Amino acid sequence: MLKTGKLLRLRRLSLAGDDRHLLVPLDHSVSDGPIVPADKWDDLLRALVAGGADGIIVHKGRASALPPDILKSCALVVHLSASTARSADVHAKVLVADVEEALRLGADAVSVHVNIGSDTEAQQLADLGAVARSCDAWGMPLIAMVYPRGPRIEDPRDPDLLAHLANVAADLGADMVKTSVALPLDRMAEVVAGSPIPVLAAGGPPDGSDLVEYGAAVMATGCRGLAIGRRIFSSPSPAALVSRLAAVVHGRPGAPDDNSITNDMNMADYSTIVAGVA
């Protein structure tokens, strides 16, 4: 049985109370460098909140510097893993924070990144298990970001592989799993059906095609949410884009109709669009 604290925090991860989630990862500044100029950071956060994002994902330093008024209607997820694009092994994630730190920062959840198929998979799995144990002790929701990345992965969009990853996350104690989208896209429904925990689809189409239509197509497969960072924070109007995506995630008026998208979209072509999304 989930502890009361975890139940309350899980509720805050869904503004509409429908157990659906639009999360905006902003942890890219550790892996790749600044995502916006320093003096525009608070403006970006306010735009995401104004647009209706359910939560943002940041590292502990960013969380500690948040103006307290910004997240009145948006959940805070503190990311505990890190690596940089300049590492000898970019797939090797290490823990750089813990659950207790996240609690002191007022986090509603924590997230941990695991790359299955990497040279350091064993240590990353051990880290996920340790964080899950701490989350259970403190009543903290855990989002596992589990990806098929590394020298042992032949097809990172294989639905069977992604279903395996979702079960790894569930079996090691995560409450939600964020992972890649399967190809062909309609087979993402198999990943969702095989997962004991809610699946959040990571990323968006990399070719500049319509992100909202992508989101609707992914949600139509049964995913419980979207976790999109780069395409949102690099948008000229993040608030407007988040608002449209939130309508898709939560089924509000103005969202594209799931059935029309599923029926009208050439799924083979769309599979090409989403290939390579992080």
Side-chain angles (χ1 to χ4, degrees):
M1 182 176 293
L2 291 177
K3 296 180 179 179
T4 301
K6 179 175 280 192
L7 289 172
L8 290 173
R9 294 183 179 97
L10 284 170
R11 172 63 182 82
R12 290 199 290 268
L13 290 173
S14 177
L15 290 178
D18 57 2
D19 294 326
R20 294 186 172 209
H21 316 274
L22 174 59
L23 303 182
V24 184
L26 300 170
D27 55 298
H28 305 67
S29 50
V30 167
S31 57
D32 302 316
I35 60 177
V36 292
D39 63 350
K40 300 297 183 184
W41 178 257
D42 287 356
D43 292 339
L44 172 61
L45 295 183
R46 294 183 194 280
L48 300 178
V49 174
D54 291 288
I56 61 167
I57 303 174
V58 295
H59 283 283
K60 61 182 181 180
R62 298 281 183 176
S64 67
L66 283 171
D69 66 302
I70 285 185
L71 297 185
K72 288 181 179 178
S73 59
C74 182
L76 171 63
V77 181
V78 173
H79 194 42
L80 306 185
S81 305
S83 69
T84 77
R86 292 164 177 79
S87 170
D89 181 0
V90 297
H91 302 303
K93 297 291 180 177
V94 298
L95 292 181
V96 293
D98 58 37
V99 175
E100 289 83 355
E101 286 178 291
L103 280 167
R104 290 194 294 271
L105 291 167
D108 298 293
V110 296
S111 56
V112 173
H113 187 138
V114 175
N115 287 322
I116 297 295
S118 68
D119 288 336
T120 59
E121 175 190 302
Q123 184 58 54
Q124 293 178 54
L125 289 174
D127 289 343
L128 177 60
V131 170
R133 189 161 54 247
S134 186
C135 283
D136 182 64
W138 289 103
M140 176 69 82
L142 171 59
I143 302 170
M145 302 182 181
V146 189
Y147 298 100
R149 294 177 182 169
R152 293 159 192 82
I153 301 300
E154 295 182 4
D155 179 7
R157 299 293 174 166
D158 176 20
D160 292 334
L161 173 60
L162 293 173
H164 181 190
L165 268 57
N167 278 264
V168 168
D171 288 342
L172 295 188
D175 299 289
M176 301 181 201
V177 58
K178 170 183 176 238
T179 194
S180 305
V181 174
L183 293 181
L185 181 58
D186 56 2
R187 291 198 65 189
M188 192 65 184
E190 299 172 27
V191 178
V192 172
S195 177
I197 57 177
V199 176
L200 308 179
D207 66 344
S209 59
D210 191 273
L211 183 61
V212 178
E213 286 193 1
Y214 161 83
V218 169
M219 293 298 294
T221 68
C223 287
R224 292 275 285 278
L226 305 173
I228 300 173
R230 196 180 309 277
R231 283 288 300 272
I232 289 177
F233 63 68
S234 63
S235 166
S237 182
L241 180 55
V242 167
S243 179
R244 295 178 67 204
L245 288 169
V248 164
V249 168
H250 296 293
R252 294 198 290 264
D257 179 76
D258 287 351
N259 292 328
S260 66
I261 286 178
T262 303
N263 293 335
D264 295 342
M265 185 176 294
N266 184 318
M267 300 307 283
D269 290 346
Y270 208 77
S271 296
T272 302
I273 290 174
V274 300
V277 179

